[in-house]
Amino acid sequence: MNQNKKESTASENTGISNRHMKRQLVITFGGALILLLSGEAAGGGRNAILGIVLGYGVLLAYLWILVKNRKEIQDLVVSGNILKWLMRLFYGSFLVLTGSFLLEKTSQITKIYLSANMNQNLVRILILTAAVIGMGSDTRKRARMGEMAFSLIFWGFVLLLILSAVHMRVPDGTQMPPLDARSVFFYGYQYFCVGSITSLYPFAYTKIKGDPNQTWSIGKAWMILSILFGATVLILLGTYGYPGVKSMELPVLNLMAGTNLPGGFLDRFDIIWMALLLFSLLFSIGSLMFYCVKIFLPENCGLDSEKREGYTRGILVAATLIIWVLSIVNFRGMVIEDVYMRLLKFFYGPLFVIITLLAGFRKKGDQ
Amino acid sequence: MKGIHSMSEKISHDIGVNERYIRERCEGCADIIIRPMKLGAGVKVRCLVVYIEVAVSNMTLEDSVIGKLINHLWEIPGDKIKEFVADNGLGISDTAEFTEMEPAFKAMLAGNAIFFLDGYDKAIKISSKGYPNMGVSKAESEKVLRGSQEGFSDSEKVNTALIRKRVRSTDLKVEEMMIGVRSDTMVALVYMKELMPPHLLTEVKEKLENFEIDGVLDSGMLEQLTENNWKSPFPQFETTERPDRAAMEVLNGRMVIICDNSPMAVMIPTTFDSFLKVSEDRYNRFEIVTFQRLIRYVAVFIAMGLSGIYLAVINFHTQVVPTNLLLSFAQSRRGVPFPSMVEIILMELAFELIREASIRMPGPLGGTIGIVGGLIIGDAAVSANLVSPMTVVVVAVSALSSFAIPNEEFSAAFRILKFGFILLGGLFGTFGLVLGGFLLLGHLSALSSFQIPYLIPFVGRDKPDYVNEGDSMIRAPLRRMRYRPVYANKGQRVRLKEKKHESK
């Protein structure tokens, strides 16, 4: 019999590929972008749409630099006694803050839309437990989860947008704020800051097959996300109009509730979109804890498997507890959702970029 | 764990020494026959035959191999017997010579007769029909409309022969090994040398040699002892009682493990998808097979989640269903004293009871139990307002779906998980179901069987050695199913190719 043109052993099937990475990125960011940021972006009208395009363009350039310097970024959490702990602290603090923000938002939405009579603290605990147990710390497991869930979540969102689009009218431009470079820059910067969270990826993927295509794979993932996000913003504006969107807290939930299936055999099926969103958010929260392990316990930290397993459990438990505590902390009336976006825009986002650039300079210096 | 007689004794020239040793070792074993004889014309030579009574029942008959040998030994001079046995003893049938007692005993305990001769320091194994077994019968748990009706028997030898009957190639290898310190169970590893990746054989052998156990009485014990993730409810070994399925999988590059005394062959590596295939899927047209497979996938989802979804909808998300249906739900529940979750759990447990009872009951009574359980208990429970008719419908559909899953062990995993989803759906609604779904996906993503991800081909499609075999949820036309699955050996992926005939 003829040999097959694609030859290699079956055991190689357990590797991680660019496709895995792309799919994971879409699921990790998809739910959070559509649910939490689309309303705010729609409130920016046409400026926000242009901002997304601008943000994506800048992000693409940044991703190119990031992929080029990924090895140096990986080294940051293992080299130098003080530097490695500073870096671990920086990235770790970002992960737990993001986790607690997402947890808070997810538990709020779950309580309002899915389990009205449940104690919110119980909801938080359940979400965290499921996220940490379901995701774990195995890179290949996460890759397979992402691959499996991608089609469901991606096509689910696409169907939501298609079904919502039938209710759209051409947005009334006169009701929107005029085109303004400052606003475009603001929304673009905000979108870029969210995208800069991708800076964490080098810690998890020390071995990705097909390395030369990494920039394009991550770029493609962000292109899919930008199209989904942009389309959601457009549909929100077309469906509710600029004033309508401004008056809603999370207009995408209203969008979900307003969709109808042809034939009308279900009265409302926003519950299905909610389930998809929740799934995506669980993936995001689980991913944050997964990254905690990768940052505090890098692949090349030189521990044997037994010790590693013990430390992994310890890190996951600690991250879970910190995220939970931060999500319930109320400091002088301020909760995590009041400060998170500001922290991302003015502290973590810029620092991600600075660290990546410094890693690049360090690489050049070494050469 | 050491065997009882791990120190092997040499077979002596003196048959008296051999006999004493055998009698001492077999003391209290009434089923082991130790028969001394004096054979030979003129000068008589002392001989000894040792065998298990039922396993070698026909040895005195003329047509048995050992019977013929003994009859012949009567006729030749006593001083020539030793020479005759040494020269011809191995030429008469499936025989073997032993210089030590331990292998001779193993051969005897495997159902053969052992022949000792005075002045000859070797024992001769003469095979016989072996232990009684059921023989080849109909495959009961994997019924098909099209294809062979043969099922595996209890005998490892018969089972390997049934595969060999279908794959008549010397590339089909059958490696035998003994497992079980006291049971000495024969286990056969059956594979196509060219098609199976070599690492699989090494890995399987390592796993089988990694434990010592008193006895292995069924392939199910081997499965549990060698599984990577033994805490998972999902089987990581696939079983079949159909030789045609086993032969097909051997041709796909998988290994089939056959355990003596078990009519179930174990196939590795295993994936989620392979559990939803049946042997006749290859024999029927692709359109109907695809449809049937989609039905099986839906059945998996319903068997596991329907009851939980029903509870989530009626307890938490009533807005989902149309008002008329909702009213019908409410009406059917009127007068039922239990909360809907208790109702569902009670009915599901009743169903499991009926299922368990019908399996354990003798043949004709099993069917009766099904009718009694399904009709009388269900109807009586509704009439007595213990459960609502809608609950009976939900539980019945869920039960029906669990029967539509071709593999019983695989179906059992979903039956167990169903109770988890009932609790999650009943207590937390859709939120709980999503949590359960996330945990389940995480668990399945972590599973692998001999380095093959459990969820292939839904994951890993971009791997360098992946080719679409066209035999997953959607089955391609047979002409297009050109490639073997991903677990076949590299370079041996092409299964089907058309012969090019030059037109003259």
Side-chain angles (χ1 to χ4, degrees):
Chain A
M1 287 227 172
N2 279 349
Q3 290 202 346
N4 193 344
K5 57 182 177 182
K6 292 180 176 182
E7 286 185 10
S8 69
T9 59
S11 61
E12 284 170 8
N13 278 305
T14 49
I16 298 298
S17 66
N18 283 313
R19 178 175 127 124
H20 284 138
M21 193 170 57
K22 182 184 79 188
R23 293 187 159 211
Q24 285 171 67
L25 279 170
V26 173
I27 300 174
T28 309
F29 287 94
L33 272 176
I34 289 177
L35 181 69
L36 306 176
L37 291 181
S38 60
E40 192 187 337
R46 66 193 111 195
N47 292 321
I49 303 280
L50 284 176
I52 293 168
V53 177
L54 175 71
Y56 175 64
V58 179
L59 184 63
L60 213 54
Y62 172 68
L63 292 175
W64 181 72
I65 302 168
L66 179 74
V67 172
K68 276 189 85 127
N69 300 319
R70 66 190 186 281
K71 287 198 169 67
E72 286 64 40
I73 295 170
Q74 280 163 18
D75 289 344
L76 289 175
V77 291
V78 283
S79 56
N81 275 337
I82 299 170
L83 179 72
K84 81 175 174 192
W85 283 108
L86 272 176
M87 286 296 127
R88 286 178 187 185
L89 201 66
F90 169 72
Y91 286 111
S93 65
F94 171 75
L95 289 169
V96 291
L97 281 169
T98 310
S100 54
F101 170 70
L102 284 180
L103 178 66
E104 182 54 15
K105 281 289 189 188
T106 312
S107 62
Q108 274 176 16
I109 293 159
T110 304
K111 187 166 161 48
I112 297 167
Y113 293 93
L114 291 176
S115 305
N117 301 322
M118 251 166 75
N119 180 299
Q120 198 175 338
N121 235 343
L122 178 64
V123 174
R124 286 192 192 105
I125 290 168
L126 287 172
I127 289 172
L128 271 178
T129 313
V132 75
I133 296 173
M135 181 65 75
S137 62
D138 181 3
T139 311
R140 284 176 294 188
K141 173 183 169 180
R142 181 168 176 260
R144 288 178 204 148
M145 284 178 81
E147 206 175 358
M148 279 296 287
F150 174 81
S151 308
L152 192 72
I153 289 175
F154 174 73
W155 290 111
F157 286 159
V158 169
L159 185 67
L160 164 72
L161 296 179
I162 291 170
L163 291 173
S164 310
V166 295
H167 301 293
M168 260 178 85
R169 284 156 292 145
V170 178
D172 182 1
T174 56
Q175 292 177 320
M176 288 185 205
L179 209 56
D180 166 31
R182 209 182 143 140
S183 289
V184 171
F185 177 76
F186 169 80
Y187 286 107
Y189 178 70
Q190 180 167 292
Y191 189 68
F192 171 78
C193 282
V194 175
S196 71
I197 300 174
T198 317
S199 305
L200 291 159
Y201 105 92
F203 301 114
Y205 303 107
T206 46
K207 290 169 200 160
I208 300 176
K209 287 172 190 164
D211 269 12
N213 300 322
Q214 272 184 42
T215 313
W216 178 225
S217 287
I218 303 174
K220 247 194 317 196
W222 274 101
M223 188 172 69
I224 293 170
L225 286 165
S226 303
I227 292 171
L228 275 179
F229 185 55
T232 311
V233 172
L234 268 177
I235 289 170
L236 283 175
L237 286 169
T239 309
Y240 299 110
Y242 180 75
V245 167
K246 281 295 252 184
S247 65
M248 296 170 185
E249 195 189 349
L250 292 168
V252 80
L253 296 175
N254 300 61
L255 194 73
M256 289 173 176
T259 51
N260 291 311
L261 272 182
F265 60 89
L266 285 179
D267 260 17
R268 279 179 63 176
F269 62 103
D270 50 332
I271 204 86
I272 295 169
W273 313 130
M274 278 304 300
L276 291 179
L277 274 178
L278 183 59
F279 197 95
S280 174
L281 289 167
L282 279 172
F283 196 92
S284 312
I285 297 170
S287 297
L288 293 166
M289 286 189 268
F290 164 87
Y291 273 103
C292 278
V293 175
K294 298 297 167 192
I295 282 167
F296 283 95
L297 211 59
E299 300 281 333
N300 47 355
C301 64
L303 283 175
D304 62 55
S305 60
E306 207 173 301
K307 270 190 180 169
R308 198 181 174 86
E309 212 171 292
Y311 282 129
T312 300
R313 274 197 209 120
I315 292 168
L316 288 175
V317 171
T320 307
L321 285 173
I322 296 170
I323 289 174
W324 176 68
V325 169
L326 285 174
S327 73
I328 54 170
V329 161
N330 186 327
F331 183 70
R332 293 182 185 167
M334 272 206 306
V335 289
I336 184 71
E337 61 174 301
D338 299 328
V339 291
Y340 178 75
M341 280 312 284
R342 264 182 283 167
L343 276 173
L344 177 64
K345 280 191 281 191
F346 302 116
F347 182 68
Y348 287 106
L351 272 176
F352 283 145
V353 178
I354 291 167
I355 289 170
T356 304
L357 293 175
L358 285 177
F361 290 136
R362 196 175 161 189
K363 183 183 174 183
K364 275 200 169 170
D366 288 348
Q367 280 170 352
Chain B
M1 201 188 297
K2 289 274 180 198
I4 305 166
H5 296 278
S6 56
M7 293 287 285
S8 194
E9 294 277 334
K10 287 266 181 205
I11 292 170
S12 168
H13 271 87
D14 183 352
I15 199 162
V17 175
N18 291 336
E19 189 176 348
R20 268 198 304 281
Y21 176 83
I22 292 165
R23 286 196 185 281
E24 190 188 323
R25 189 161 163 182
C26 298
E27 197 180 346
C29 303
D31 58 331
I32 296 176
I33 308 295
I34 303 162
R35 178 155 296 167
M37 287 179 268
K38 284 187 174 174
L39 300 173
V43 184
K44 298 287 180 193
V45 178
R46 289 173 66 198
C47 302
L48 186 70
V49 181
V50 188
Y51 59 95
I52 293 168
E53 197 170 12
V54 178
V56 193
S57 59
N58 291 336
M59 61 169 289
T60 53
L61 295 180
E62 294 245 323
D63 58 346
S64 75
V65 170
I66 194 155
K68 280 180 182 168
L69 175 69
I70 289 167
N71 283 342
H72 195 68
L73 292 180
W74 273 109
E75 291 160 11
I76 55 175
D79 52 348
K80 299 278 183 198
I81 285 184
K82 194 176 121 188
E83 197 182 328
F84 174 81
V85 169
D87 292 347
N88 303 311
L90 301 179
I92 47 171
S93 168
D94 170 23
T95 57
E97 275 188 339
F98 304 109
T99 54
E100 291 178 352
M101 279 292 182
E102 194 55 37
F105 263 84
K106 280 196 178 201
M108 186 268 289
L109 291 168
N112 302 294
I114 304 295
F115 184 75
F116 294 87
L117 184 69
D118 195 24
Y120 190 57
D121 59 353
K122 285 174 187 164
I124 300 171
K125 175 194 99 173
I126 301 164
S127 73
S128 183
K129 65 172 191 173
Y131 289 104
N133 64 69
M134 282 185 67
V136 179
S137 53
K138 232 177 162 180
E140 287 297 331
S141 64
E142 283 174 85
K143 286 184 178 165
V144 290
L145 294 173
R146 188 162 186 177
S148 166
Q149 299 296 321
E150 267 180 351
F152 278 131
S153 79
D154 283 346
S155 158
E156 173 261 330
K157 294 280 183 197
V158 173
N159 294 347
T160 51
L162 287 172
I163 298 177
R164 176 77 71 188
K165 182 179 149 188
R166 287 164 173 84
V167 186
R168 296 175 188 185
S169 160
T170 50
D171 194 41
L172 178 81
K173 306 294 177 194
V174 180
E175 284 193 37
E176 291 182 333
M177 56 201 295
M178 296 280 200
I179 295 182
V181 176
R182 288 185 168 78
S183 69
D184 265 342
T185 309
M186 187 75 87
V187 171
L189 310 179
V190 185
Y191 59 92
M192 294 294 284
K193 193 178 178 191
E194 208 184 359
L195 305 183
M196 192 188 74
H199 76 87
L200 192 59
L201 183 64
T202 326
E203 225 175 300
V204 170
K205 281 185 175 171
E206 262 172 29
K207 278 177 186 274
L208 290 174
E209 283 160 7
N210 258 353
F211 60 84
E212 267 193 354
I213 185 171
D214 256 4
V216 173
L217 304 180
D218 189 87
S219 52
M221 292 171 78
L222 288 179
E223 270 178 61
Q224 292 174 65
L225 288 168
T226 50
E227 267 173 349
N228 273 344
N229 195 336
W230 50 271
K231 289 175 191 161
S232 170
F234 289 94
Q236 289 136 67
F237 286 71
E238 193 184 345
T239 54
T240 184
E241 63 164 344
R242 300 185 59 82
D244 60 338
R245 177 84 202 275
M248 192 185 291
E249 295 306 335
V250 160
L251 290 174
N252 273 339
R254 291 169 90 182
M255 180 191 273
V256 173
I257 303 174
I258 290 170
C259 176
D260 207 14
N261 307 315
S262 172
M264 284 289 177
V266 172
M267 300 180 293
I268 49 169
T270 298
T271 62
F272 186 97
D273 184 57
S274 66
F275 282 106
L276 295 168
K277 292 176 184 169
V278 296
S279 60
E280 67 178 335
D281 282 357
R282 281 283 171 85
Y283 313 147
N284 289 326
R285 300 188 67 78
F286 72 97
E287 299 94 338
I288 190 67
V289 174
T290 300
F291 178 68
Q292 286 167 339
R293 285 201 183 157
L294 289 173
I295 293 277
R296 285 178 213 144
Y297 271 92
V298 172
V300 164
F301 179 73
I302 293 176
M304 181 181 64
L306 182 68
S307 305
I309 292 171
Y310 169 72
L311 286 174
V313 168
I314 63 163
N315 286 349
F316 291 87
H317 318 293
T318 45
Q319 76 275 22
V320 173
V321 287
T323 319
N324 287 346
L325 188 59
L326 191 65
L327 288 174
S328 151
F329 281 0
Q331 208 163 17
S332 74
R333 291 214 68 244
R334 194 185 294 163
V336 178
F338 304 115
S340 47
M341 195 165 88
V342 175
E343 217 188 326
I344 285 272
I345 290 176
L346 282 178
M347 275 308 285
E348 289 285 5
L349 285 176
F351 159 71
E352 291 297 331
L353 273 175
I354 293 165
R355 186 188 177 106
E356 194 61 22
S358 60
I359 291 169
R360 309 286 158 228
M361 290 296 267
L365 280 176
T368 318
I369 286 285
I371 296 165
V372 171
L375 293 177
I376 302 174
I377 297 180
D379 193 45
V382 171
S383 306
N385 265 347
L386 288 173
V387 291
S388 67
M390 196 52 77
T391 304
V392 176
V393 171
V394 168
V395 172
V397 173
S398 150
L400 203 62
S401 301
S402 74
F403 288 122
I405 301 170
N407 187 292
E408 167 59 23
E409 289 165 65
F410 192 58
S411 161
F414 293 104
R415 276 172 34 226
I416 293 169
L417 288 174
K418 173 175 65 184
F419 286 96
F421 277 92
I422 288 173
L423 290 175
L424 288 169
L427 293 173
F428 310 120
T430 302
F431 170 59
L433 294 178
V434 174
L435 296 184
F438 189 78
L439 289 171
L440 179 63
L441 181 67
H443 178 72
L444 287 173
S445 301
L447 288 183
S448 63
S449 170
F450 293 90
Q451 301 182 26
I452 298 293
Y454 204 61
L455 291 175
I456 237 172
F458 308 112
V459 299
R461 279 181 167 251
D462 56 331
K463 297 295 171 280
D465 56 347
Y466 182 83
V467 279
N468 188 1
E469 49 167 323
D471 192 21
S472 175
M473 198 188 280
I474 293 170
R475 209 214 79 181
L478 200 59
R479 281 162 179 266
R480 298 279 167 82
M481 289 170 63
R482 293 191 182 135
Y483 302 108
R484 291 197 176 84
V486 71
Y487 30 76
N489 199 5
K490 64 173 181 175
Q492 290 295 335
R493 288 291 167 75
V494 180
R495 168 178 28 216
L496 171 77
K497 61 176 182 177
E498 281 180 45
K499 283 184 179 171
K500 298 266 187 285
H501 294 288
E502 283 180 26
S503 55
K504 288 180 181 173

